Amino acid sequence: MRILMCLIVALLGLGAAPLAAQHIPSIHPAPPTDDKENLLYLDLSTGGRVTILLRPDVAPMMVERIKTLTRRGFYNGLLFHRVIEGFMAQTGDPKGNGTGGSDLPDVKAEFNYLPHVRGAVSAARPGAPEGASPEQIEAANNGANSQFFIVFEPRLGLDRKYTVFGRVIAGMEHVDAVNRGEPPVDPSRILRAAIAADDPPPYQPPVGATAPSPPVDLGPAVTLPGAEDAPRSKPAPAPAKPRPRR
């Protein structure tokens, strides 16, 4: 009887213990790649348009923030102020030094199962200081606002620590061409950001950009003097066939 009572008490104690935090995948389907309401266009000074598929199924608040600021024209002209080779390119700061944001409140963390692989687009946020209290850590986790970064190479150590809210599905070569530096000496920039559903105009190169020169027509082929009399090389003799042994 005593053993039975001990087991009951133990089970009650387990039931009262707080459950560990769990990640629950979204029950909403991911948007298709032709869903214009969830396609973000970034026209870059590096020469073309980047298309990002937004993921409101896993990060609805951050996606809504990006859409709101994009439709305000907030991102037009902003620099890539922090670009680390083999890691990521960061933008979205109107101050251009990593300390700025929008006039809207910060967005709560929406850490999810999407990995920080090449082309992932993730919300930047402040880091907690060393030895930070739980309150400081929570404040840092919930500190995303307008800045975001695009990943060059996989950094899976960032998974579930930063909110991935989209991924580049076209034009990654224009992200690869962004000038490096912290900050870059000659920073690349977002010329224009737009949501595809708003029917933005085609990509237009930055004012003052030098258009590529058309190929020069050299006319008909020219035979150099003396080429007619130059001895022609004889073809190499075929390898001799091995003779059968007697």
Side-chain angles (χ1 to χ4, degrees):
M1 187 67 177
R2 180 178 296 175
I3 296 176
L4 179 60
M5 290 299 296
C6 290
L7 288 174
I8 293 173
V9 171
L11 289 173
L12 289 174
L14 288 174
L19 294 176
Q22 300 181 49
H23 169 72
I24 302 175
S26 172
I27 61 174
H28 303 289
T33 56
D34 59 353
D35 180 3
K36 290 188 175 182
E37 183 57 34
N38 286 301
L39 290 180
L40 171 65
Y41 292 156
L42 299 180
D43 290 353
L44 303 189
S45 62
T46 53
R49 173 167 288 176
V50 178
T51 303
I52 296 169
L53 177 64
L54 301 174
R55 294 293 301 272
D57 56 310
V58 294
M61 292 185 292
M62 195 64 210
V63 167
E64 186 59 33
R65 170 59 53 83
I66 294 295
K67 288 182 179 180
T68 297
L69 294 179
T70 295
R71 284 173 165 145
R72 283 187 181 183
F74 177 88
Y75 291 110
N76 297 347
L78 295 193
L79 307 176
F80 283 89
H81 62 270
R82 183 169 179 252
V83 185
I84 303 175
E85 180 65 42
F87 181 14
M88 59 86 208
Q90 186 170 337
T91 185
D93 176 15
K95 293 183 178 180
N97 59 12
T99 64
S102 74
D103 60 347
L104 299 176
D106 290 342
V107 180
K108 290 185 178 180
E110 295 176 292
F111 303 156
N112 54 68
Y113 63 86
L114 295 179
H116 286 78
V117 293
R118 175 170 166 79
V121 187
S122 191
R125 61 171 180 81
E130 186 176 353
S133 66
E135 292 77 14
Q136 290 174 310
I137 294 174
E138 183 179 6
N141 288 344
N142 296 324
N145 191 286
S146 64
Q147 295 187 43
F148 61 88
F149 59 94
I150 304 175
V151 179
F152 291 131
E153 301 295 339
R155 285 297 180 102
L156 304 185
L158 302 180
D159 292 358
R160 305 193 188 193
K161 298 176 183 177
Y162 292 81
T163 299
V164 179
F165 63 88
R167 188 170 182 184
V168 175
I169 60 173
M172 188 64 190
E173 67 273 17
H174 305 306
V175 181
D176 290 335
V178 168
N179 290 336
R180 272 56 169 171
E182 299 182 73
V185 175
D186 181 21
S188 306
R189 67 177 63 238
I190 299 172
L191 301 176
R192 178 188 177 94
I195 303 300
D198 297 339
D199 196 23
Y203 175 83
Q204 298 176 358
V207 177
T210 303
S213 301
V216 179
D217 183 8
L218 300 178
V222 177
T223 302
L224 296 178
E228 302 89 344
D229 302 327
R232 297 182 180 179
S233 59
K234 297 180 180 180
K241 297 181 180 179
R243 295 180 180 179
R245 295 182 180 179
R246 295 181 178 180

